[in-house]
Amino acid sequence: MSEPGPDLRIDRPAETVPQLVVRRVRQAILEGTLAPGRRLTERELMELTGVSRTSIREAVLHLQALGLVETSGRKGVRVAVLGSDDVRQLYEVRAALESEAASLFVQRATDSEVLELVKLTRPGKSDDEDQLSSIYHFDELLLAGARNALLTSTLAPLHARIHALRRLSLSIPGRREQSEQEYRDLVAAITDRDADRAAQLARYHVAAAKEAALAAIAKLEEGRVAGA
């Protein structure tokens, strides 16, 4: 019987270099560090991240697939600039999918998962950054509890684009407070395990969020025209 050979297996990293770049750029967009319309060249991305041109090109393809960046001129890309029509289409699809996610969460989530949503919607957020962080985790928990991989893979990229809009939406007077109440109402229905009510309230929330996003985009477009 031959002796076992040496163990030459290589532990694979949790993320590839292009995936790390996508995550860093995506986070910068969500935080507002990279604003809509900001142009990004391959050279700049290489300097900002310290990775190779090949990894940058692969990462840019992923960011384009997510709708977070778009081509700009002959070379480079820019952070995606969403117009009113883009916003309407995004939120129409979000309304259909997120209401289903809320319904499935009611039917499939554990009591501890419901409790996590309750914790995220408790009053006391100190600022918009706190609120945005809670919303981001709310989206993740809702999809995890819905336990539908296809729904998650379809809705997650939309959330990536929508989350970048939320910073603008919260600039609309009164929107932050209204949004917090909408989430609390939704969680109350989820806690009661009322799937139909949860789906209805999810649609109501998305409709209100769409109007706030459209108002924010309109203000941006007016500013661009005035500065032209």
Side-chain angles (χ1 to χ4, degrees):
M1 183 175 180
S2 61
E3 295 182 4
D7 186 357
L8 301 179
R9 291 174 298 178
I10 299 173
D11 291 332
R12 297 182 63 183
E15 291 181 297
T16 64
V17 171
Q19 287 172 336
L20 283 169
V21 173
V22 169
R23 182 159 60 83
R24 297 285 176 81
V25 173
R26 174 178 171 174
Q27 189 61 35
I29 292 172
L30 298 185
E31 292 174 351
T33 308
L34 295 177
R38 169 75 149 78
R39 192 164 181 272
L40 297 167
T41 64
E42 282 186 358
R43 180 178 295 278
E44 182 184 16
L45 286 171
M46 288 169 63
E47 291 174 352
L48 289 172
T49 61
V51 305
S52 70
R53 188 182 301 273
T54 300
S55 292
I56 290 298
R57 287 179 175 173
E58 186 176 338
V60 166
L61 289 175
H62 284 297
L63 289 164
Q64 286 178 306
L66 288 171
L68 293 175
V69 302
E70 56 194 14
T71 55
S72 175
R74 294 178 61 186
K75 293 183 178 180
V77 295
R78 68 175 183 174
V79 179
V81 179
L82 297 178
S84 298
D85 287 341
D86 299 311
V87 171
R88 287 192 185 93
Q89 292 176 33
L90 274 174
Y91 279 82
E92 284 169 358
V93 176
R94 180 190 172 194
L97 296 180
E98 209 160 281
S99 59
E100 182 62 21
S103 177
L104 290 175
F105 186 93
V106 168
Q107 299 170 56
R108 299 172 178 174
T110 64
D111 289 343
S112 62
E113 286 172 324
V114 172
L115 182 58
E116 285 301 310
L117 287 189
V118 172
K119 291 178 181 177
L120 284 174
T121 55
R122 283 173 179 162
K125 305 294 184 302
S126 59
D127 54 26
D128 286 353
E129 293 303 321
D130 224 9
Q131 174 73 352
L132 286 167
S133 177
S134 293
I135 292 172
Y136 184 76
H137 290 301
F138 188 99
D139 290 342
E140 288 184 325
L141 286 170
L142 191 73
L143 288 176
R147 290 177 173 75
N148 184 306
L150 182 57
L151 180 63
T152 297
S153 64
T154 304
L155 191 49
L158 293 183
H159 278 160
R161 301 178 73 185
I162 287 166
H163 198 71
L165 285 170
R166 284 170 170 152
R167 188 177 304 276
L168 294 174
S169 299
L170 291 180
S171 68
I172 301 299
R175 178 55 195 157
R176 176 182 161 187
E177 294 77 15
Q178 181 185 357
S179 176
E180 289 177 338
Q181 186 59 54
E182 289 162 7
Y183 275 109
R184 285 194 290 271
D185 291 343
L186 172 57
V187 169
I190 289 173
T191 302
D192 290 341
R193 296 289 183 172
D194 188 335
D196 290 340
R197 179 67 174 159
Q200 180 185 15
L201 287 168
R203 281 186 174 276
Y204 175 80
H205 166 67
V206 174
K210 180 181 73 173
E211 293 308 312
L214 286 171
I217 290 294
K219 287 177 66 176
L220 274 182
E221 290 174 344
E222 287 172 7
R224 292 192 192 107
V225 171

